[in-house]
């Protein structure tokens, strides 16, 4: 009779051989641990952050203009010529000037927008009709009404006698032939021309000096 213990089990057990145990364990599928998954997620996040940083670096920075407006004193009635000479010099020598303005109604002065006084002085130095730069600087709000067009009721009618206030016919007298308020233009005939030739100009380039009371 075989030996059994008090519980009725055989003394001998069918133990697995160590080598067989190792083989079975090796054949079992491996499951990645939570720590490995976290490492992979962390790597993915780092890659995404690097891509975002590269995109930010590739973006061009916004241009911010730091400028000052200078008042240039010029010879009266030579404002347009002085502006033309300054503009030619700025373009040829690549001087740091952002804008030049000569508003209608302002005589003897033009405005110059520049990053600093050094560039402004270089732009006007030793030019005909230019007398110098005033020491006082201005801001745009000070001259806004002078340089921005203001919508107003056009008070010009056919047969009005007008004076040209801009080149190339500055100070010439003319008679209004036709008016186009939509385009903001007026067709005039120069009074001193040997042969009457219609000339089309902008409404803000003429001013009425005489109006004859007559029907169109």
């Amino acid at each position: 009779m075989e030996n059994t213990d008090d519980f009725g089990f055989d003394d001998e057990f069918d133990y697995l051989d160590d080598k067989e145990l190792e083989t079975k364990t090796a054949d079992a599928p491996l499951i990645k641990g939570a720590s490995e998954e976290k490492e992979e997620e962390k790597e993915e996040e780092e890659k995404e952050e690097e891509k975002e940083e590269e995109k930010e670096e590739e973006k061009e920075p916004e241009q911010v203009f730091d400028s000052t407006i200078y008042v240039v004193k010029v010879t009266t009635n030579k404002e347009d010529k002085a502006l033309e000479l300054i503009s030619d010099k700025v373009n040829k020598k690549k001087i740091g000037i952002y804008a030049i303005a000569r508003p209608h109604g302002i005589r003897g002065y033009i405005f110059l927008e520049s990053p600093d006084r050094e560039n402004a002085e270089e732009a006007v130095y030793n030019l005909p009709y230019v007398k110098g730069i005033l020491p006082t600087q201005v801001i745009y709000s000070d001259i806004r009404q002078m340089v921005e067009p203001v919508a107003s009721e056009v008070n010009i009618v056919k047969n009005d006698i007008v004076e040209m206030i801009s080149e190339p016919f500055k100070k010439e007298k003319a008679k209004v032939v036709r008016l186009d308020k939509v385009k903001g233009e007026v067709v005039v005939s120069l009074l001193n021309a040997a042969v009457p030739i219609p000339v089309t100009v902008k409404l803000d380039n003429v001013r009425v000096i005489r109006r004859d009371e007559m029907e169109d």
Side-chain angles (χ1 to χ4, degrees):
M1 183 175 178
E2 294 180 355
N3 293 330
T4 60
D5 57 18
D6 295 338
F7 294 95
F9 294 105
D10 294 337
D11 292 336
E12 295 179 0
F13 293 90
D14 187 14
Y15 290 104
L16 292 174
D17 183 78
D18 292 339
K19 292 183 178 179
E20 185 179 355
L21 180 61
E22 292 175 359
T23 303
K24 289 181 179 296
T25 304
D27 293 339
L30 298 176
I31 300 175
K32 293 182 178 181
S35 61
E36 293 179 345
E37 292 180 353
K38 289 181 179 180
E39 285 295 326
E40 288 183 357
E41 292 177 358
K42 186 177 180 180
E43 290 178 358
E44 290 295 329
E45 290 177 356
E46 290 177 351
K47 289 180 181 179
E48 290 296 329
E49 290 177 356
E50 290 177 358
K51 289 180 180 179
E52 291 296 329
E53 291 176 357
E54 290 176 357
K55 289 180 180 180
E56 290 295 331
E57 291 176 357
E58 290 175 358
K59 290 181 180 179
E60 295 183 0
E62 296 183 358
Q63 294 184 345
V64 179
F65 290 98
D66 184 12
S67 63
T68 303
I69 299 175
Y70 297 91
V71 182
V72 181
K73 175 66 175 174
V74 298
T75 303
T76 303
N77 298 327
K78 296 295 182 180
E79 296 87 357
D80 292 330
K81 189 62 178 178
L83 187 146
E84 182 181 340
L85 292 172
I86 295 172
S87 179
D88 289 343
K89 184 176 181 180
V90 167
N91 291 329
K92 289 178 181 178
K93 295 193 174 184
K94 307 298 181 183
I95 303 173
I97 300 298
Y98 299 140
I100 309 172
R102 187 264 172 177
H104 289 308
I106 303 297
R107 302 180 63 185
Y109 299 96
I110 61 175
F111 300 116
L112 197 69
E113 185 182 12
S114 173
D116 50 47
R117 191 176 186 88
E118 181 179 354
N119 279 276
E121 289 180 346
E122 183 180 358
V124 303
Y125 177 72
N126 202 27
L127 287 179
Y129 314 121
V130 177
K131 298 182 178 181
I133 299 177
L134 300 185
T136 303
Q137 301 173 3
V138 298
I139 58 177
Y140 184 71
S141 59
D142 294 335
I143 63 171
R144 185 171 184 173
Q145 293 182 342
M146 303 179 191
V147 297
E148 288 188 0
V150 179
S152 58
E153 182 67 24
V154 177
N155 190 25
I156 299 178
V157 297
K158 184 178 179 181
N159 295 322
D160 276 351
I161 304 301
V162 297
E163 180 184 22
M164 314 291 276
I165 59 176
S166 65
E167 300 293 347
F169 303 107
K170 190 172 182 179
K171 293 188 177 183
E172 290 284 341
K173 304 297 187 298
K175 185 175 183 178
V176 176
V177 176
R178 187 170 63 256
L179 183 68
D180 190 334
K181 294 184 179 181
V182 176
K183 293 183 179 180
E185 296 177 342
V186 61
V187 179
V188 300
S189 176
L190 299 177
L191 297 180
N192 294 331
V195 178
I197 300 176
V199 178
T200 302
V201 296
K202 291 294 183 182
L203 285 171
D204 59 357
N205 287 340
V206 300
R207 67 182 183 89
V208 178
I209 59 175
R210 190 174 78 247
R211 174 167 296 169
D212 294 333
E213 298 296 333
M214 59 184 299
E215 295 294 333
D216 290 353

